[in-house]
Amino acid sequence: MKKREPDRILIVDDDPHMRSALTLSLKKTGREGDIFASAEEALKFLDELDGKAADGGYFLILSDLSLPGMDGISLLSEIRKRGAFKLIPFVIITAYGTVESAVSAMKSGAADYLLKPFGISDFERIVKNAEKISAYNNCPSLAGSDDESGFVCESGAMKKIDDYVKIIAEADATVLITGESGTGKEVIARRIHSLSKRKGKFIGVNCSAIVPTLLESELFGHEKGAFTGAVSLKKGKFEQADGGTILLDEIAEMDKNLQAKILRVLQEKTIDRVGGDEPVSVNARVIAATNKDIEKTVEEGSFREDLFYRLNVIHIYLPPLRERKEDVVPLAKYFTALYSKKYFREISGITVQGQDYLLSLNFPGNIRELENIIERAVILAQKDNYLDVKHFGVFAPSVLSAGRNGDAIRTKEEKTRNKTEEGGINSIPAGSNSSPVDFPVGGTLKIKEMEEKLIAAALKESSGNRTKAAEKLGITSRTLRNKLKEFKLGKD
Ligand SMILES: Nc1ncnc2c1ncn2[C@@H]1O[C@H](COP(=O)(O)OP(=O)(O)OP(=O)(O)O)[C@@H](O)[C@H]1O
Ligand SMILES: [Mg+2]
């Protein structure tokens, strides 16, 4: 007999009014489901189903975030532990002011979020999105098949580095990659490996994340009985990377004893397992990375000079993102596509204003920070087809305080040119779905002030029409009314 397609929704909400609203939403959209007042009750019900080898036929679990006992996030993690239900899309219901919790819920595995108060069209949109996710999760040929090994390289500085990477990839020489945190050191190390002819694995080890006593056996492995708990022989990372590449990340944090042992591996191409008496030969290309000024650590005596010279045969320095702004927009577009796919959003690109805004940021956390901003923006842009200033600005205070980088801002002439030249899938002309707010992104601008400016600009753009302004801002008319009262903007 053919298995029935999942068609039911499981709902958890402690508020009786919300439960009635949700019952009505189910009815209006022709859906069926089961509603529970607490996470505990819902879990008990699911466990009973599991005991009977039944699955309940759910394609969506919809739960309020704040519940009196176990909250929505804990319910999500409990359900993820239960094999029978772990693939069901889980959507968090949350209030407007707690949207940041919705962002972190999605980062920890929720499929989407529904903002309170919601209309029937919001409910329908969330349900339809969950249907897509459920179909995707249940299709083995699609799920887990993503190859996201994208490498973005647009700026002159990065192109030069990449040309160099292509040349040195085939050599076996040791490489030292330096650069601030989040500049892409691991990405470059992986690229060197994938462009080389090495058939073995790429193995990364973060030398600062493991205590020195354990790091030695992690790197070199141990023999059976080498120490209490060494119940069997274990191959270390060097042996796992045999025929491939090993990345020694955060190398400057490595303890001096171990530095001497690494030097020996580089000189003799053999390792000694902890407790072993025979050296084992390994053929792993070594790449080391650090965000520290390693020459300074050599001068200060905490890093061995001879090891530094051994590692530094080829040196690649990755400049911070603020010094290669031509990469910002291409990276932002790449992350937009990546996260739209991950979160099942239909986002086609970034508005011209959004791009300019990103270009005005300093990114102290480099590419990782840009990636976080875009991931959050994609999550927040539930209904919008283009990412815009409103999706970035209000929620990125750390980056805003970095200040405006004058030379990164495009001139008026360039903007006009971009409108016609950039076209394509990732750009739309200013004004289509964008908010032409001129943001004074200075060190002193507070989130509240930004909100106020955004609201004032949206009202101006909508000629004072509040419904249109609320729509532009992606908030409900009621929230806009409250904000207007708060900021004493207009009469109410
Ligand atoms: N050229 C690139 N194209 C696409 N994504 C990139 C690129 N460079 C970096 N990234 C992304 O930016 C993030 C940070 O990169 P990575 O982890 O390589 O930085 P890192 O320099 O090793 O940082 P840390 O010093 O904190 O370890 C990753 O998610 C990575 O995928
Ligand atoms: Mg790294």
Side-chain angles (χ1 to χ4, degrees), residues 185-186 249-250 368:
K185 296 184 292 295
E186 181 167 342
D249 209 352
E250 316 281 357
R368 184 173 296 110

Side-chain angles (χ1 to χ4, degrees), residues 315-339:
H315 181 198
I316 295 175
Y317 166 70
L318 292 180
L321 188 54
R322 61 185 170 278
E323 286 172 19
R324 46 175 165 121
K325 290 267 174 132
E326 303 97 300
D327 286 329
V328 170
V329 172
L331 278 165
K333 287 178 179 174
Y334 164 69
F335 292 133
T336 303
L338 186 75
Y339 286 105

Side-chain angles (χ1 to χ4, degrees), residues 147-166 177 182-195 316-319 324 327 329-335 338 367 371:
D147 174 18
E148 307 292 9
S149 57
F151 174 70
V152 177
C153 164
E154 273 301 314
S155 63
M158 275 311 284
K159 281 191 174 139
K160 256 193 204 156
I161 291 173
D162 199 43
D163 287 344
Y164 188 51
V165 162
K166 284 175 190 146
I177 308 175
T183 46
K185 296 184 292 295
E186 181 167 342
V187 166
I188 289 291
R190 287 182 185 275
R191 188 158 172 79
I192 294 172
H193 175 71
S194 67
L195 293 173
I316 295 175
Y317 166 70
L318 292 180
R324 46 175 165 121
D327 286 329
V329 172
L331 278 165
K333 287 178 179 174
Y334 164 69
F335 292 133
L338 186 75
I367 302 178
E371 184 172 359

Side-chain angles (χ1 to χ4, degrees), residues 64-311:
D64 194 14
L65 177 67
S66 69
L67 293 164
M70 178 188 290
D71 67 7
I73 304 285
S74 313
L75 176 63
L76 167 65
S77 82
E78 278 304 316
I79 285 179
R80 292 289 177 257
K81 286 182 208 153
R82 288 159 167 78
F85 309 107
K86 74 173 183 202
L87 288 181
I88 304 173
F90 190 104
V91 171
I92 283 283
I93 308 174
T94 187
Y96 174 73
T98 60
V99 78
E100 276 306 290
S101 332
V103 172
S104 54
M106 283 186 72
K107 286 188 176 180
S108 54
D112 216 329
Y113 66 94
L114 179 60
L115 272 191
K116 281 192 280 196
F118 56 86
I120 202 72
S121 62
D122 298 313
F123 183 83
E124 185 69 34
R125 180 172 41 80
I126 292 292
V127 169
K128 287 220 164 105
N129 204 27
E131 269 173 337
K132 274 194 273 173
I133 299 171
S134 172
Y136 178 85
N137 285 349
N138 288 314
C139 176
S141 62
L142 284 176
S145 68
D146 284 1
D147 174 18
E148 307 292 9
S149 57
F151 174 70
V152 177
C153 164
E154 273 301 314
S155 63
M158 275 311 284
K159 281 191 174 139
K160 256 193 204 156
I161 291 173
D162 199 43
D163 287 344
Y164 188 51
V165 162
K166 284 175 190 146
I167 297 168
I168 57 117
E170 290 199 16
D172 277 339
T174 314
V175 184
L176 176 66
I177 308 175
T178 57
E180 284 178 19
S181 185
T183 46
K185 296 184 292 295
E186 181 167 342
V187 166
I188 289 291
R190 287 182 185 275
R191 188 158 172 79
I192 294 172
H193 175 71
S194 67
L195 293 173
S196 76
K197 292 210 166 68
R198 295 191 151 258
K199 299 261 185 295
K201 286 188 189 150
F202 174 93
I203 302 280
V205 190
N206 184 336
C207 303
S208 72
I210 307 167
V211 290
T213 42
L214 292 181
L215 186 57
E216 180 174 355
S217 85
E218 189 69 21
L219 289 172
F220 306 129
H222 58 71
E223 295 289 342
K224 184 178 173 178
F227 46 82
T228 332
V231 285
S232 57
L233 179 148
K234 187 182 158 232
K235 285 189 179 178
K237 300 286 185 191
F238 270 94
E239 279 182 86
Q240 289 170 32
D242 196 22
T245 306
I246 185 166
L247 168 65
L248 301 175
D249 209 352
E250 316 281 357
I251 187 95
E253 312 294 328
M254 190 182 273
D255 154 83
K256 271 193 123 174
N257 263 334
L258 216 47
Q259 289 176 24
K261 293 185 176 169
I262 298 288
L263 185 66
R264 208 169 94 80
V265 180
L266 292 174
Q267 283 164 343
E268 292 169 24
K269 309 244 174 284
T270 58
I271 54 116
D272 295 304
R273 293 188 192 129
V274 176
D277 11 79
E278 283 295 311
V280 182
S281 65
V282 283
N283 167 20
R285 184 190 200 164
V286 176
I287 301 182
T290 180
N291 54 24
K292 292 263 156 65
D293 180 349
I294 193 161
E295 284 176 71
K296 199 163 157 227
T297 59
V298 172
E299 275 166 32
E300 287 165 357
S302 58
F303 201 83
R304 290 180 69 115
E305 191 172 11
D306 45 7
L307 178 59
F308 168 68
Y309 286 118
R310 272 276 168 183
L311 292 173

